[in-house]
């Protein structure tokens, strides 16, 4: 075994940059070598390497990076912003353009804007811009080249390009933003994107509203001032396909910029106008309000409170106003909508319990906010919290320069958590009660289905149910009795008249009792009606009837299942519902048979026999259902 410490090999002169990676910029290598020799000044930022590193700022998605451009457009006065995600049919490469009709920049302003830290709103806390980083880091996170065009009069386009590879090859110790170049026209590939339909959305004539339809028309349509960011070499995207990218952008941006859109700002993605989506269901112009068949379009505001939250952890820190709102979704009006509508159109299950809005722009939304004691759970599906703050509260909300999420610090979270605790618990309880009530109503509606069908079958039965010839007095008495019966069978969704009407029409009725000593079912023939009683205390109900009902509900297409991951399965649902209806008819037919046999009974001993039969059967069934639970017994 050789001793490593006693090696006699001559020391190889070590390349100080031996650990640099293959793809490190050559210019940067030269500059660093020079610096290490003590040659020349060392800038605070090593441009050749830093610009490459900034490509990895870590945006959650292509959409969240693109939001940086839209942020700037709205901040700097745009009334209309257009995002293009255009895929080449030939090589599938994707180019991205964001164009606005805002104020544009002067050439000097543009040059500053393209430098890292360069901003016209540095450390401002009232708008979206604050860090002087967004446009550059977001652009680079998607493409190694970021082209900026800006104009403050028609056909005078100033252009600055940041090109990571070009900058990386430079050998200067200090690097400068290139000087803006004035052009009276835009490059053809860019003009094409701005004047021709993108390949998605399809049916471009109907679904795409073009900015301009020709090169000649374009300058007029671009207006007197505006800005374009052009990413011509997108090599880092969250999805490969134009359609997926665009759909994601439409969905997210409609929510992120809901306030801007509802104030009349126009935002397009691939020539399609983006509608506002309000996860709190308050905006009359929100997309949810146009979902077909809604009887209620608004959530209910439970409360809106303004809290004074310290701007930093410092005890003497000043405070800033944060508004916290709690909403309840219209459960009663919406829960019977189809799953598709609830999930896709209304996005009830979209993990959007808590939305954080900074200076009118949503910076985060989620189902779990641990700092506020809120965890993803189905009991939160039907409530929403919206928290509004300004840039003053950035430290407390942990806003990073890419503004794509909050990380609440405890000094800010504490008061909000305290405020929400009780009302949230109360609302959850209220919603849970509504759910239970609703589930009960639903189960009765399958019961009604069996009653309806059994009544319908009366016309084809070989022997009709026994009737009595009634006198007028008896008829009046029957009416009274039916009215009394109706009170006991009334469902929550019925009026007195409706239940009476239902009972008068139906030959078969079902009710439930909860009684430990009652057989699992009971039936009587009374007032010319078969009345079936199901005992919810018997294991038959708990092991057979109720599970079938739950299964039918869980797999029901067109019902509001509470488990958002469970996919609706209409086939299973129909089968299970049919099984339940069939099971009930088994009892109806048995009851009917007994009623027939009892009517033919001369001696009057059949009724007590049937009663005993039910009791014995019930006990036998109970013992059988309970056995086998513990195999050793
Ligand atoms: N669409 C635009 N119209 C006009 N000016 C713009 C536009 N986009 C960027 N600018 C200018 O460029 C500057 C730099 O933008 P950038 O997004 O990099 O940083 P910021 O918006 O100032 O801060 P943040 O990092 O918070 O986004 C802005 O301050 C603004 O002056
Ligand atoms: Mg910005």
């Amino acid at each position: 075994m050789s001793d490593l410490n006693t090696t006699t090999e001559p020391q190889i002169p070590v390349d100080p940059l031996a650990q640099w990676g293959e793809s490190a910029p050559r210019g940067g290598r030269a500059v660093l070598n020079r610096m290490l020799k003590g040659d020349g000044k060392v800038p605070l930022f090593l441009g050749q390497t830093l610009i490459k590193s900034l490509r990895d700022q870590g945006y959650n998605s292509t959409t969240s990076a693109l939001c940086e451009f839209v942020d700037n457009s709205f901040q700097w006065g745009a009334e209309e912003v257009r995002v293009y995600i255009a895929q080449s049919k030939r090589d599938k490469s994707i180019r991205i353009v964001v164009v606005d009709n805002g104020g544009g920049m002067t050439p000097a302003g543009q040059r500053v804007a393209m430098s890292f830290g360069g901003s016209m709103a540095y450390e401002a806390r009232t708008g979206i811009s604050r860090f002087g980083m967004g446009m550059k880091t977001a652009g680079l996170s998607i493409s190694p080249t970021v082209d900026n065009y800006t104009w403050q009069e028609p056909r005078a386009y100033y252009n600055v390009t940041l090109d990571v590879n070009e900058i990386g090859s430079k050998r200067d110790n200090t690097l400068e933003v290139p000087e803006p170049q004035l052009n009276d026209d835009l490059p053809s590939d860019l003009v094409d994107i701005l004047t021709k339909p993108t390949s998605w959305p399809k049916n471009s004539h109907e679904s795409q509203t073009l900015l301009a339809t020709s090169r000649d028309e374009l300058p007029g349509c671009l207006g007197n001032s505006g800005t374009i960011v052009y990413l011509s070499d997108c090599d880092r995207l969250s999805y490969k396909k134009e359609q997926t990218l665009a759909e994601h952008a439409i969905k997210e941006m409609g929510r992120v910029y809901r306030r801007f859109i509802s104030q009349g700002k126009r935002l397009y993605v691939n020539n399609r106008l983006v509608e506002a989506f309000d996860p709190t269901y308050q905006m009359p112009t929100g997309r949810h309000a146009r979902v077909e068949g809604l009887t209620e379009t608004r959530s209910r505001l439970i409360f809106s409170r303004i809290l004074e939250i310290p701007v930093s952890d410092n005890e003497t820190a000043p405070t800033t106003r944060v508004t916290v709102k709690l909403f309840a979704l219209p459960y009663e009006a919406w829960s019977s909508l189809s799953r598709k509508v609830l999930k896709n159109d209304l996005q009830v299950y979209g993990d959007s319990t808590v939305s954080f809005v900074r200076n009118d722009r949503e910076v985060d939304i989620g189902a779990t906010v641990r700092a506020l004691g809120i965890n993803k759970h189905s009991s939160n599906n039907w409530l929403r919290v919206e928290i509004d703050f300004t840039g003053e509260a950035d430290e407390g909300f942990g806003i990073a320069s890419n503004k794509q999420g909050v990380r609440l610090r405890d000094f800010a979270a504490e008061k909000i958590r305290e405020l929400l605790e009780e009302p949230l618990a109360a609302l959850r309880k209220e919603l849970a009660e509504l759910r239970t009530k609703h589930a009960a109503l639903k189960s009765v509606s399958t019961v009604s289905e069996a009653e309806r069908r059994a009544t319908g079958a009366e016309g084809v039965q070989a022997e009709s149910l026994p009737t009595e010839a009634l006198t007028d007095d008896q008829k009046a008495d029957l009416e009274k009795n039916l009215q009394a019966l109706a009170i006991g069978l009334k469902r929550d969704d019925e009026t007195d008249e409706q239940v009476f009407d239902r009972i008068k029409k139906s030959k078969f009725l079902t009710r439930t009792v909860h009684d430990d000593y009652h057989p699992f079912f009971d039936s009587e023939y009374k007032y010319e009606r078969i009345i079936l009683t199901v005992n919810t205390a018997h294991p038959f109900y708990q092991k057979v009837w109720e599970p079938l009902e739950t299964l039918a509900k869980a797999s029901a297409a067109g019902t509001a299942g509470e488990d958002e991951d469970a996919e609706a399965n209409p086939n299973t649902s129909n089968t299970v519902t049919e099984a339940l209806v069939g099971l009930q008819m088994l009892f109806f037919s048995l009851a009917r048979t007994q009623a027939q046999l009892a009517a033919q009974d001369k001696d009057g001993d059949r009724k007590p026999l049937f009663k005993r039969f039910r009791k014995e059967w019930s006990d036998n069934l109970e013992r059988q259902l309970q056995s086998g639970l513990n195999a050793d017994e």
Side-chain angles (χ1 to χ4, degrees):
M1 222 200 236
S2 67
D3 184 348
L4 290 174
N5 292 329
T6 59
T7 176
T8 52
E9 296 278 320
Q11 288 280 312
I12 307 165
V14 179
D15 170 4
L17 298 185
Q19 297 200 24
W20 271 39
E22 280 288 307
S23 57
R26 299 218 161 271
R29 185 180 277 273
V31 172
L32 195 64
N33 263 325
R34 201 185 312 134
M35 288 172 183
L36 289 172
K37 285 183 194 141
D39 187 6
K41 289 185 188 163
V42 179
L44 190 54
F45 299 101
L46 199 59
Q48 289 86 342
T49 54
L50 186 68
I51 191 167
K52 197 169 161 66
S53 302
L54 284 171
R55 293 207 67 194
D56 298 300
Q57 253 269 4
Y59 283 92
N60 292 338
S61 65
T62 302
T63 303
S64 82
L66 294 182
C67 283
E68 292 274 15
F69 307 133
V70 182
D71 282 352
N72 287 341
S73 299
F74 284 139
Q75 164 110 23
W76 305 98
E79 287 300 316
E80 182 171 306
V81 188
R82 284 170 174 266
V83 177
Y84 297 86
I85 300 165
Q87 188 153 33
S88 140
K89 288 204 176 90
R90 206 168 21 88
D91 62 3
K92 302 284 172 228
S93 64
I94 289 179
R95 292 158 193 261
I96 289 180
V97 179
V98 180
V99 51
D100 70 49
N101 65 357
M105 294 172 256
T106 63
Q110 183 187 34
R111 206 173 177 193
V112 169
M114 293 302 276
S115 80
F116 291 90
S119 173
M120 299 302 238
Y122 189 72
E123 266 302 307
R125 301 298 183 111
T126 50
I128 305 177
S129 293
R130 182 192 141 187
F131 298 97
M133 297 293 281
M135 173 166 58
K136 288 78 70 173
T137 49
L140 293 171
S141 78
I142 295 173
S143 156
T145 61
V146 180
D147 258 307
N148 185 284
Y149 293 86
T150 192
W151 61 98
Q152 293 187 319
E153 59 180 278
R155 291 183 189 275
Y157 309 110
Y158 284 92
N159 166 231
V160 172
T161 303
L162 290 184
D163 180 334
V164 170
N165 296 324
E166 190 193 316
I167 291 167
S169 69
K170 289 211 157 89
R171 289 168 177 261
D172 312 72
N173 279 31
T174 46
L175 300 174
E176 286 178 14
V177 175
E179 218 170 310
Q181 299 296 308
L182 177 62
N183 308 286
D184 60 4
D185 204 352
L186 294 169
S188 298
D189 47 352
L190 183 51
V191 171
D192 277 354
I193 296 173
L194 297 177
T195 56
K196 291 181 180 157
T198 42
S199 40
W200 185 89
K202 298 223 162 48
N203 257 342
S204 52
H205 296 305
E206 293 153 36
S207 54
Q208 298 197 26
T209 313
L210 299 185
L211 170 64
T213 51
S214 69
R215 183 171 212 123
D216 295 341
E217 206 185 271
L218 187 59
C221 299
L222 284 172
N224 291 335
S225 62
T227 301
I228 291 174
V229 178
Y230 180 31
L231 310 174
S232 58
D233 186 15
C234 303
D235 60 352
R236 297 183 182 184
L237 295 162
S238 5
Y239 306 105
K240 283 203 182 106
K241 279 165 64 185
E242 162 185 329
Q243 175 174 353
T244 324
L245 287 162
E247 280 174 341
H248 188 258
I250 288 173
K251 183 170 177 224
E252 294 290 299
M253 288 182 183
R255 203 189 62 243
V256 167
Y257 299 108
R258 57 186 182 260
R259 303 240 175 115
F260 293 86
I261 297 170
S262 79
Q263 284 156 16
K265 309 266 185 202
R266 294 180 305 281
L267 173 62
Y268 290 84
V269 172
N270 282 20
N271 298 308
R272 176 185 275 194
L273 190 64
V274 177
E275 290 178 285
F277 180 79
D278 179 8
T280 67
Y281 310 99
Q282 286 284 298
M283 284 180 180
T285 53
R287 191 165 45 132
H288 73 274
R290 279 193 290 285
V291 170
E292 254 176 66
L294 292 194
T295 49
E296 179 59 80
T297 57
R298 278 192 125 197
S299 62
R300 174 165 51 98
L301 176 68
I302 307 285
F303 71 70
S304 171
R305 296 275 151 70
I306 295 173
L307 294 177
E308 290 289 338
I309 303 280
V311 301
S312 78
D313 210 355
N314 192 324
E315 264 175 31
T316 57
T319 60
T320 177
R321 286 154 75 100
V322 172
T323 308
V324 182
K325 293 185 185 145
L326 176 65
F327 306 94
L329 272 54
Y331 186 87
E332 291 194 289
W334 288 7
S335 60
S336 55
L337 295 169
S338 80
R339 236 199 118 69
K340 182 198 147 284
V341 170
L342 287 175
K343 196 173 174 181
N344 303 348
D345 303 343
L346 291 169
Q347 296 177 28
V348 169
Y349 313 122
D351 276 2
S352 24
T353 314
V354 191
S355 166
F356 294 91
V357 182
R358 174 188 184 268
N359 291 334
D360 284 339
R361 188 274 212 204
E362 185 183 85
V363 286
D364 204 355
I365 188 159
T368 299
V369 186
R370 296 235 157 71
L372 298 182
I374 297 174
N375 291 307
K376 182 179 161 81
H377 190 265
S378 59
S379 63
N380 291 335
N381 280 342
W382 293 84
L383 60 87
R384 295 289 184 270
V385 176
E386 190 179 57
I387 300 177
D388 256 280
F389 60 99
T390 72
E392 298 279 347
D394 278 355
E395 279 73 11
F397 282 84
I399 297 297
S401 67
N402 53 22
K403 304 184 205 91
Q404 54 176 3
V406 304
R407 277 163 302 159
L408 267 168
R409 305 266 312 273
D410 207 48
F411 70 83
E414 206 180 351
K415 276 195 182 172
I416 306 178
R417 194 171 53 229
E418 276 168 16
L419 171 69
L420 283 171
E421 202 173 339
E422 274 177 34
L424 265 183
L427 184 53
R428 279 198 200 104
K429 187 161 171 271
E430 186 191 318
L431 287 166
E433 280 165 12
L434 273 176
R435 265 200 299 270
T436 317
K437 186 173 125 189
H438 190 88
L441 279 181
K442 272 226 184 89
S443 69
V444 178
S445 65
T446 43
V447 161
S448 307
E449 175 63 16
E451 291 168 356
R452 199 181 56 75
R453 287 201 224 166
T455 306
E458 276 308 291
V460 294
Q461 294 287 15
E463 200 177 311
S464 45
L465 280 165
T467 47
E468 294 163 69
L470 299 174
T471 63
D472 280 355
D473 276 359
Q474 283 171 321
K475 273 186 197 153
D477 209 37
L478 173 68
E479 188 96 345
K480 236 195 250 159
N481 282 325
L482 284 180
Q483 247 156 11
L485 184 67
I487 294 167
L489 288 173
K490 190 174 159 206
R491 305 187 313 228
D492 284 8
D493 62 341
E494 284 177 318
T495 61
D496 288 353
E497 269 169 33
Q498 281 169 332
V499 63
F500 189 49
D501 195 47
R502 173 166 68 90
I503 277 159
K504 270 211 301 207
K505 280 189 195 139
S506 189
K507 287 267 164 206
F508 294 84
L509 298 166
T510 313
R511 63 182 171 199
T512 54
V513 289
H514 192 91
D515 183 344
D516 286 337
Y517 301 100
H518 210 78
F520 71 106
F521 86 102
D522 195 357
S523 73
E524 54 184 334
Y525 185 61
K526 216 172 165 185
Y527 318 126
E528 298 191 343
R529 272 142 190 94
I530 299 280
I531 302 168
L532 172 70
T533 308
V534 180
N535 182 10
T536 55
H538 193 281
F540 168 76
Y541 178 81
Q542 287 149 13
K543 289 174 181 244
V544 182
W545 191 287
E546 198 186 23
L548 268 179
E549 225 168 56
T550 314
L551 211 62
K553 259 183 272 158
S555 60
T559 59
E562 285 308 315
D563 177 4
E564 67 261 37
D565 297 325
E567 279 305 320
N569 185 340
N571 288 338
T572 319
S573 166
N574 285 344
T575 313
V576 179
T577 307
E578 281 303 309
L580 196 61
V581 168
L583 182 68
Q584 202 179 350
M585 282 175 167
L586 183 73
F587 289 108
F588 281 156
S589 55
L590 176 69
R592 192 182 192 281
T593 313
Q594 291 180 345
Q596 274 169 250
L597 295 179
Q600 296 156 3
D601 179 19
K602 302 277 171 306
D603 314 325
D605 52 10
R606 284 183 183 168
K607 260 194 178 176
L609 178 70
F610 293 153
K611 194 172 173 203
R612 202 177 135 209
F613 176 78
R614 275 194 297 268
K615 180 77 189 126
E616 298 283 323
W617 182 14
S618 189
D619 291 347
N620 284 331
L621 180 62
E622 177 167 0
R623 281 189 290 269
Q624 285 186 351
L625 285 172
Q626 301 289 38
S627 85
L629 278 186
N630 188 342
D632 297 336
E633 269 177 13

